[in-house]
Structures are given as structure tokens and as C-alpha cells.
């Protein structure tokens, strides 16, 4: 069993230094990466352990920000060289994003190794990285109660077989609508979800951006709306924040049943809505739990969700 300081939730993913351009603003070299967003969101619910890699150029202030959120950094590796860098530009309506630059740097030779204290974690989130690395992490965890896996079009295109293998060993797969279609070759979301469930996970969570998300299992489908914001600055990392908040709330509940997952989806949705209010982790770093809970209540009242 865990010692009391060990993280209940372990998250692996990318850590990036991002340059992001929206129609209104350009921000250079800001903190990003899937595990960075996911751990920040999860930190409002449970002790989250971060598994990732940075280079020797990684600014100390970013590490301090994570520490300030209570994120466990024992699983963070620092390697000689430059940190992963990514840059993207959003089009006028913020719906479309183009990647301008991806520099793998220390990510290229990354081999995630879990500290002993992480191996008994009951909850695991395999954030968006190469499926072979996700599998390597999964193999190091002893008997997790619940494993969520995320992915992206890149891996569906270049590492499909490995992705299918690791998805088959997870409890839940999350991906967006277009990725679900790409992965399965089906234009019907219902059929796509059935094909994905047949790969092995008990749940498939399809994200539909501003239209919310759908949880599908053998028992049927359940959708929740997105938390609508009048204004947002930067949608980067919204999916990672959603998944991190969801897994944090689920780990806090200690449950793994469908009702608990539905409830956790609302926390994920609300956390993601906070995250996009500012660039990088700027809003996520200044939240408090009462603000999250208040929005969850407002969200439930608005959506008629019990
Ligand atoms: P999202 O908006 O969910 O796609 O996540 C954006 C984050 O993913 C950014 O902060 C990037 O640093 C990171 N990222 C971009 N490309 C990749 C990639 N190929 N693999 C892993 N992470 C990436």
C-alpha cells in the first residue's frame, strides 16, 4: 500500500516550452506540455506525481510553480540539452490551430522511469506521448484501479499498432471527435465508439470541443455540455486540463464506477474552462478549490445535471 506522501495519481506526458500566437496576442517561450496542464488541474483534488523530462535549460520558476501547486516532482527527469519546444498559431475563430515548430530535444531519448513510490498509485493517466512510452509506464505500475489514456492524430498515423496494444490495457480512452474517426475509419461517432470499446477499454470519452463530451460504455452513452465562456485567451492544453481535472476528481472520490466518472467529467470540464481564460498555467496556478466547486454547482444548475 502507499505511504501517505505517495501520489494517488501518476501522470505521464510532455513538458514543453511553447510559443503561441492567437489573433490577439503572441506569447513566447511559456510553460506548456500535456503533463504540465494535467498535473496542475489534478493538484486541486489529490497529490499528483509528474512523470516527464526537461532539459538543463528549463527555467527554475516553472518548477517552482509546480511545487507551489503541491505536485510531486520525484518522477521528473532532467537531461543534458534543451527542453521540448512547440509552437502553434490559432486562426481567427480559434477553431483551427496550425503547428509551426516541433523540436523534440530531450524528449527524443526519453525513457520514463517511475520512482518506487509511484508504482502503487491507484490512478494513472497516460497523457499524450508516444504509445511505446505509455506502455513502458503502464508496465511499471503494479495494479492500478483505473488507467486513462489520451492520444493524438500523430500516433494514430505513425504508431497505430502500439497504440491499439496499450489502449487494450487501459480502462478508459479519451480522444477528440476527429481522432475517433481517424482511429476507426468510421464517420459515425456511435460506430467509432463501438470499435474503440472493442479494443478493450470499458469507457471511451469523446471530446467535442465547445459541444462538450460523450462518455460511452457497453451500457450506453452519456453526454455533458461544455462550460461556456464568453471570452477565452488560449485553448492550448484544454484537453489535458480536462483529463487532469477528471482524473484528479475521480481519484479523490476513490471510485471507478460510471456515476463517479460522470461526476468527475464535470470537474474536468470546469477546470478546463478556467485554464483557457489565460495563457499557459497562469489561471490554473491561481485557482482555489472553492472557485472550482462554485462553478461546478453553477454548471450543474445550468445544465440540469444532477
Ligand atoms: P493540446 O492543446 O491538448 O494539444 O496540448 C498542447 C500541449 O501539447 C502544448 O503545451 C505542447 O507543448 C504539447 N505538444 C505539442 N505537440 C506535442 C507532441 N507531438 N507530443 C506531445 N506533446 C505535444
Amino acid at each position: 500500500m502507499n505511504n501517505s506522501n505517495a501520489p494517488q495519481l501518476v501522470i505521464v506526458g510532455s513538458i514543453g516550452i511553447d510559443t503561441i500566437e492567437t489573433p490577439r496576442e503572441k506569447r513566447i517561450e511559456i510553460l506548456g506540455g500535456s503533463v504540465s496542464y494535467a498535473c496542475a488541474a489534478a493538484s486541486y483534488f489529490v497529490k499528483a506525481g509528474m512523470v516527464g523530462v526537461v532539459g538543463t535549460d528549463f527555467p527554475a520558476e516553472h518548477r517552482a510553480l509546480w511545487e507551489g501547486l503541491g505536485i510531486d516532482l520525484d518522477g521528473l527527469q532532467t537531461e543534458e540539452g534543451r527542453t521540448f519546444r512547440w509552437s502553434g498559431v490559432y486562426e481567427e475563430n480559434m477553431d483551427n490551430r496550425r503547428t509551426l515548430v516541433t523540436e523534440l530535444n530531450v524528449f527524443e531519448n526519453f525513457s520514463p522511469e517511475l520512482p518506487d513510490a509511484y508504482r502503487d498509485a491507484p490512478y494513472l493517466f497516460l497523457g499524450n506521448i508516444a504509445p511505446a512510452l505509455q506502455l513502458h509506464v503502464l508496465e511499471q505500475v503494479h495494479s492500478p484501479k483505473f488507467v486513462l489514456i489520451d492520444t493524438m492524430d500523430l500516433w494514430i498515423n505513425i504508431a497505430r499498432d502500439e497504440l491499439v496494444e496499450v489502449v487494450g490495457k487501459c480502462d478508459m480512452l479519451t480522444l477528440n471527435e476527429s481522432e475517433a474517426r481517424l482511429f476507426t475509419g468510421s464517420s459515425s461517432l456511435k460506430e467509432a465508439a463501438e470499435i474503440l470499446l472493442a479494443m478493450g477499454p470499458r469507457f471511451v470519452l469523446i471530446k467535442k470541443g465547445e459541444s462538450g463530451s460523450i462518455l460511452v460504455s457497453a451500457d450506453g452513452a452519456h453526454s455533458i455540455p461544455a462550460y461556456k465562456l464568453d471570452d477565452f485567451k488560449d485553448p492550448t492544453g484544454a484537453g489535458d486540463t480536462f483529463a487532469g481535472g477528471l482524473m484528479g476528481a475521480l481519484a479523490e472520490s476513490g471510485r471507478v464506477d460510471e456515476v463517479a466518472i460522470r461526476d468527475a467529467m464535470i470537474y474536468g470540464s470546469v477546470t478546463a474552462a478556467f485554464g483557457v481564460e489565460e495563457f499557459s498555467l497562469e489561471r490554473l496556478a491561481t485557482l482555489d478549490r472553492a472557485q472550482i466547486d462554485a462553478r461546478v454547482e453553477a454548471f450543474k444548475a445550468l445544465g440540469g445535471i444532477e
Side-chain angles (χ1 to χ4, degrees):
M1 213 36 219
N2 283 340
N3 69 53
S4 59
N5 279 326
Q8 295 107 287
L9 168 62
V10 165
I11 307 181
V12 61
S14 60
I15 297 162
I17 297 184
D18 295 347
T19 293
I20 296 168
E21 198 173 341
T22 68
R24 277 187 280 169
E25 211 173 337
K26 180 172 181 181
R27 300 286 292 272
I28 296 165
E29 302 249 309
I30 55 176
L31 176 61
S34 56
V35 75
S36 182
Y37 283 106
C39 279
S43 72
Y44 287 94
F45 306 95
V46 287
K47 182 102 186 153
M50 179 183 286
V51 179
V53 64
V54 296
T56 37
D57 63 343
F58 192 68
E61 73 206 51
H62 296 336
R63 213 181 280 258
L65 186 153
W66 291 331
E67 277 166 354
L69 287 169
I71 298 167
D72 188 300
L73 301 181
D74 286 351
L76 177 64
Q77 298 170 25
T78 304
E79 301 295 341
E80 195 59 49
R82 270 163 69 79
T83 303
F84 172 74
R85 276 178 175 64
W86 175 79
S87 109
V89 54
Y90 288 90
E91 288 168 10
E92 192 49 46
N93 57 8
M94 299 273 238
D95 276 357
N96 277 323
R97 179 174 85 188
R98 272 185 303 122
T99 290
L100 301 179
V101 180
T102 302
E103 264 183 53
L104 290 178
N105 299 331
V106 293
F107 214 2
E108 201 155 4
N109 297 312
F110 179 42
S111 176
E113 299 306 328
L114 267 52
D116 283 346
Y118 284 28
R119 295 177 189 237
D120 289 319
Y123 294 84
L124 177 64
F125 172 30
L126 302 172
N128 174 28
I129 49 167
L133 299 185
Q134 293 175 316
L135 191 59
H136 186 60
V137 169
L138 187 57
E139 283 167 353
Q140 294 173 60
V141 177
H142 295 140
S143 51
K145 271 168 80 169
F146 194 88
V147 183
L148 170 67
I149 181 168
D150 191 7
T151 192
M152 70 187 288
D153 51 359
L154 174 71
W155 312 121
I156 296 169
N157 285 324
I158 71 169
R160 195 178 190 285
D161 291 349
E162 285 161 321
L163 184 60
V164 170
E165 184 188 347
V166 63
V167 164
K169 297 176 195 284
C170 296
D171 298 283
M172 180 155 108
L173 164 68
T174 177
L175 72 191
N176 65 36
E177 217 174 340
S178 60
E179 290 161 351
R181 295 200 167 101
L182 177 69
F183 200 0
T184 61
S186 171
S187 58
S188 144
L189 266 196
K190 186 171 181 288
E191 192 182 77
E194 280 162 9
I195 295 170
L196 295 169
L197 285 172
M199 290 180 189
R202 282 186 295 133
F203 301 99
V204 173
L205 177 56
I206 301 179
K207 294 170 284 184
K208 299 174 72 182
E210 286 188 18
S211 310
S213 52
I214 313 176
L215 179 70
V216 191
S217 71
D219 298 329
H222 172 81
S223 8
I224 68 156
Y227 187 92
K228 289 269 187 302
L229 282 176
D230 296 335
D231 203 17
F232 59 93
K233 282 196 181 157
D234 174 21
T236 308
D240 311 308
T241 309
F242 173 77
L246 185 162
M247 282 300 281
L250 191 66
E252 185 187 51
S253 78
R255 293 163 50 182
V256 297
D257 58 284
E258 186 156 355
V259 174
I261 296 170
R262 288 180 187 183
D263 207 42
M265 282 164 72
I266 299 173
Y267 281 93
S269 191
V270 162
T271 321
F274 275 116
V276 300
E277 285 181 1
E278 296 293 342
F279 282 81
S280 184
L281 268 57
E282 287 165 11
R283 185 68 182 102
L284 290 176
T286 61
L287 272 176
D288 63 46
R289 182 60 189 269
Q291 290 175 306
I292 297 175
D293 290 345
R295 254 195 203 181
V296 164
E297 288 315 309
F299 183 91
K300 286 181 176 171
L302 273 175
I305 294 169
E306 293 299 318

